[in-house]
Structures are given as structure tokens and as C-alpha cells.
Amino acid sequence: MKTVYIGTYPPRRCGIGTFTQNLLQAMSGKDDSPKSKKGFFVVAMNDFDQEYDYPEEVGFTIRQECQRDYQEAAEYINLSGADCCILEHEFGIFGGRNGVYILSLLHRLKIPLIVTLHTVLKTPSYEQKEILQRICRTANRVVVMSHHAVEFLEDIYDVPKEKIAYIEHGVPDYKFLQQEAKKEFKLDKRKVLLTFGFVSRNKGIETAIKALPEVVKKHPEVLYVVLGKTHPHVLHYVGEEYRNYLIQLVSELHLENNVVFIDKFASQPELFKYLYAADIYLTPYLNEAQITSGTLSYAVGVGCPVVSTPYWHAVELLADDRGILFDFSNHAQLADILIDLLDHPEKRLRLSRNAYEYGREITWPKIGAKYNNLVKEVTAEQLKIPRKKSIPFDIKILPPFSLAHVKRLTDHTGIIQHTKFGIPNLKEGYCLDDNARALIMALMAYKETKSQKALEFCPVYLSFIYYMQNDDGTFHNFLNFDRTFVEEQGSEDSFGRAIWALGYMLDNAPNDSYSQIGKYMLDKSVPVFDNLRSVRSIANVILGISYYLKNNMGDDVMIERLRKLTAFLVEEYRQNSHADWKWYEILFAYDNGLLPLAMLHAADILKDEEVRRIAFESMQFLSDITLKEGYLSIIGNEKWYHREDTRSDFAQQPVDAMCMVLMFYQAYKMTDNIDYLKKLFASFMWFLGENDLRLSLYNYETEGCFDGLEREGISRNQGAESTLAYLISYLVVLEAHKNYYSKYWQQNQTEDLTSNE
């Protein structure tokens, strides 16, 4: 089996890199020759723009914070002919917030995936949990190295038990004689206590140092060796602050003859010589949240007596009298244990024998064989998976429809426009844009679900729109929390959204009162139409008029208004479109799907073939750009996408996804082409994680929607615009699903009757 590994790799100094190298060697054969590694290669992670002189098995490198590298790595792997991919996962080695960039790579893989988790958090943040769950859903198998991790994956991350594989951390099979190792390091007259690995505050080395004064009183020959460099990330951000603190502590306790710091990244043979030279190995970590410890596995593997705090991996690995545990930060208890072990060599010997016996079962050749069997297993399963039938919808995967976050944002005045994380930000007040969208959403929700709560929201949002209208038909946009206006007249875009909402309400009024006030405000605003120049404002107004005309086709004056506004967009399209640029402007900005959406509605009302052609042509151009990978990749708002420039990948906004959903549904209603339903659903799935970062924007805790996809991850705020865009899109999916399956059922009934005849 040709296997590719993703992770850090030597010469980068990283424990996971060492693990990856050991695993590759164990799976490919006992020797370290290039020939034995044929069929095995590595995609290596670089950090802080560092370059490394990698060995030949490294076929591709990824710059940690360069998102495009992850996509290119996926393409490289897919073209390599590899049978299986093994990912070594640790949040800190991948780019984006909490390592989110790795998701874009994994989603593009076309071969089976095995993920080895080096960290499984008991109390993850919302985003950490979301990322790890998506990794586990993508993986064919998830490997963990402790039984605690198995429990966490099942209970916290909802990973099916049958997907989890327990494989211990491997141990290199080095053998040295203790006296010879001690002599080489000039330690033959000392009792050696050892801690090795990257130095950082969570290692609790100060606990061991504080225990030494009592130990040294009885055993002055004791030497505590701290072997390892400061962790690179710690060094990058705070320098040698912790190491200097430890050195100062040694000085204060007068332990200069009993503690030595060896500031180096030891090679594996050298490291194991130190382990064989040690009389006792210490891991005095400060808290239990350590699910895997390679250093502890190494110590047990060589049969070194271990004294450790009871972090998760230590509790498991040191069971059955393979080591001794002491309480976190309890240096007095540690001193008593060390004195007892140094006084009684037979106890150390017993621990050593038990540990060594267990260690023989976790040597790398045996661990490599387990991984090879797992690779064969998942590749065999992959061949048996039948192709899924192509269907336009799978609404079973949708979360339940909920207005909880809308309720949280809505008071007696209207809907608050912004939040700080998930909490309404009253300082920002209200805006016409969001209350117009909220009215559309509430009317849709009542129509689709008969939600009484949605119906109760309708007069709140409608009265807000009424309050915001000026005597000349224009609207204010922003309103302070004390109900004072921020400006005399809002933007053209906010005006257009208000007209869209009024037109939609006039087509879906719950009772006559809504129709009366809606018509009153619409008539009052009509004179403003002639002054509009923004293509998006005009598109919004076209939508409002189109909805109004569905039940008022006798209104010839309004039809002419629609024709005139549509002609404006047609002219903009003629002026700006070219053979390779079928668009209304020389750039893509925001709410891009709104323009083809408006033209589709206008074409449906006016029955104008040129308008129809432009609508479908521009829709196809937009979808070719944003759906070319099979999922929605919204044109980001970091900078506008000019015709001669490159597009922005980030600052992707939920309103853009909403417009795409609405656009494809209108195209489906006009053509009955099921491909538009598939694109509609693909666009909606942007909210649920089918996007460039592979993260869900829907927050299952608050039942709101995050504000967008940023370069480093998801924007954590959950404002009204985003949540309303999600809910409107959700309701369109429900309506489209009902529409499609109603036609599908009728078609099947007709076919059945025909066959019976």
C-alpha cells in the first residue's frame, strides 16, 4: 500500500515530527534506507515561514499559515497514486485559528484517511470541537493512544465507536547498558533523575526542583537532569522566561550541584542513552489534561522506573505497578516517594521489570504492523462503498428550524443589528436593512412552518419600517437604542431592501391590515424610484415590485416602473459585459447573486426574452466562479474582485450565500431544471460547513449564525444580518424541497397510472 503522511517531520524539531518519522519507518520496514521507504512519502508542515533540509521521502511542504498550500497539497496527494493518507493531528501545527486550514485539505482528498489524534481536549472551545468533529467525520478511522481519548471522542465529540482505533504510542527499540551509558555521560557516581522533552510551564519542572532539598539531604549524590530545548512556540512568544525562572529557583535552593539543564534537542539514540542512564524518570506535569505523552511512553518502553503526576496518559500507562503517581504540584509528597525509591532499590527494580515487560508490546515494529493492518482495512472498505444516488436534497441533515436567536435579538422596537459574540450589542442599535430582512424571514417562517412566534414578530418589524419612513418616501437606516435617528436619510441599498420587504409582504400578507399599510408605504416611496442609481438598490426594488405584481398584474403603472428599472440593469450589463466577463459591473462586490436574482424575477413578470437571457447568462457566470469546486466559495469582501485582478477568498458574507440560494430557487421555478436545486442545496450547505474553511457558520449552541468566514477562521459575532440570511435560506430550502417532491410524487403517480393502463 502506498501511504502518504501529513505532519511535521525532521529536521524540524517537534515531537510529532519524530512520531511521523518513526511511524513511516515502522510501516515501511526495519531499515532506514531509501529503498525500504518506496511507496511512502510525507507532506511536511513548516512553521513561521521556516525552510528545512528535508530527506527525500518528503514530497511536498505546506507553509503553516498559507491556506492555498493546503489545497495544492490535496491535489498533489490525489495525483500521487497513494492508497491511503495518515494525518498526524495537533491543533498547533496547522494554520488558521485552532488549525482550521487543515479542513480544506482533508475535504479535497479522494483516498481513505486515517487520523492520529495527539491531543483530545476534554473541554474544547466551540471552534475546537467543531474542527475536531469535522476531522473525525472526514476520517475513515480515528487513532488514539489512550482509553481516556476513546471515551472523550464518544462522549464529547459524538464519534461512533466503530470508527475509533486504539493503538499505543510506539517506542524505538534501542538497548543500552545502564553503567556504560552513565559512564559515557560521566554520571557513574550519581543517582540520576531525568525529565526530557520540550521545556514549557505546563511540564511542572519546578515541582521536582522544590522536592530536591529534602531528597539531597539523604542522597547528596542525586542529580536531576532536565534535557531539552524550550518549546519553539514558547521561545517565539516569551523567550526563555520559564527556563530563567527555573535556573533562578535552583540558585535560591542551593541546588547547583544537583540540577543540570541540557539545552539541546537530543537525537533518538542519545535520548535513549540518557533514559538507560536514569535511575528514575519524572513527569511532574501540572494538570491532568495530557491525553498522550511520547516521553512517558519512551520511559516505560525502556523499563525506567517512573514517578509522575496523575495526568490522563500517566494514570493509564503506569497502572499495574508500572510506576508511581503523586498529586499535582505536591513537592513534599514527591520528595517522600523519591527518598523511598532511592532507599529501596528492589522497589525500583520491580517497577522497571513491569514497565519493560509492557514496553516490549509497544515497540515501533509492532505498532507499525497495527497501522499497516488498519490501512489495509480502510482501503478494502472504501472499495465496497456503493456510489450514492444523486438527489437534489437531503434535508435530514438540517438542524431543527429555530427562532431562538431572533427572539434574543428582538425587542419591542425591532431587531438589534449587531452582537458581541452571541449577545445583543445594544450600543449599535437598529437598522432598516435588518428589520426589512427580518420581516421577510418572519413572513416566510409563518408561511412554511405556521410558527405563531414568527407571526408575533411581523408587526414589530413592520412598525419599525413604518417608523423609519420619511414624509418624502425615503427612509432612515440607522436608529439608536434610544429610538433617535442617526441620519436623515439612509443609503439607496437600505431603501431598496425596505421595498423588497414591502413587496414580499404584499404578496404574503397575513391579513388585510398588512396589505393596507404595505400599499400605503409602497405608494409613498414610488417617486424615489426615479432617483436611484445603485445597481443593488435597483435590484432590491425590482424584487419588491415583482412580488407585489404577482397579485396585482392589473397595475399597469407599476409594470412600467418595473420595465424602466429593469432596463437600467440591462444597460449596465451591456456596458460592462464582455466575452469573458458576463456581469453588470467591472467588478464583483457584495450581494452579487442579488443582480441575477432580480433579473430572473423581472423576466418572469415581463416575459422579456433579452432580460431572461441576461439573467441566466449572468447567473451562469457567477456560479461558474463560485461553485467550480462543487461547493460554494463566495467571493470575499477583503477587496473587490476586478475583472483584471484576482478574487478575494475571505471576508465571505452570509447574505451572499442567501442570494445564491434565492437565485437558484427562482431559476428552478422558471425552468424545472433539477440542476438548479442541486446548486441551491450546495449553496445552503455553505452555512453548515461546505465552504472554504470546512466550518459550520450555524452555531448549534445559540441557534444563530456567525458573521462570516475570515482568513484566520470564523467571525465569532452572530449579528442579525447573518442569522436572518441563514434562516431565509433555510426556509427557501424547505419550500424548494416541498415543491420538488410534490412534483416528483405527481410525476410518479402519472407514470404508475400510465403503466397500469
Side-chain angles (χ1 to χ4, degrees), residues 717-748:
N717 297 326
Q718 300 164 54
E721 178 183 292
S722 306
T723 296
L724 293 168
Y726 165 77
L727 291 173
I728 289 171
S729 301
Y730 188 111
L731 292 163
V732 171
V733 169
L734 290 186
E735 183 181 336
H737 177 266
K738 182 172 66 178
N739 186 324
Y740 169 72
Y741 278 99
S742 174
K743 290 181 180 179
Y744 180 75
W745 183 84
Q746 290 174 359
Q747 179 184 348
N748 281 354

Side-chain angles (χ1 to χ4, degrees), residues 649-669:
D649 291 325
F650 292 105
Q652 297 185 24
Q653 304 298 313
V655 288
D656 281 276
M658 178 192 76
C659 285
M660 297 293 284
V661 169
L662 290 164
M663 178 185 75
F664 287 126
Y665 186 42
Q666 180 63 21
Y668 168 71
K669 288 194 291 185

Side-chain angles (χ1 to χ4, degrees), residues 109-121:
L109 284 182
K110 296 179 181 178
I111 59 175
L113 172 67
I114 295 171
V115 175
T116 302
L117 298 179
H118 292 260
T119 296
V120 182
L121 300 174

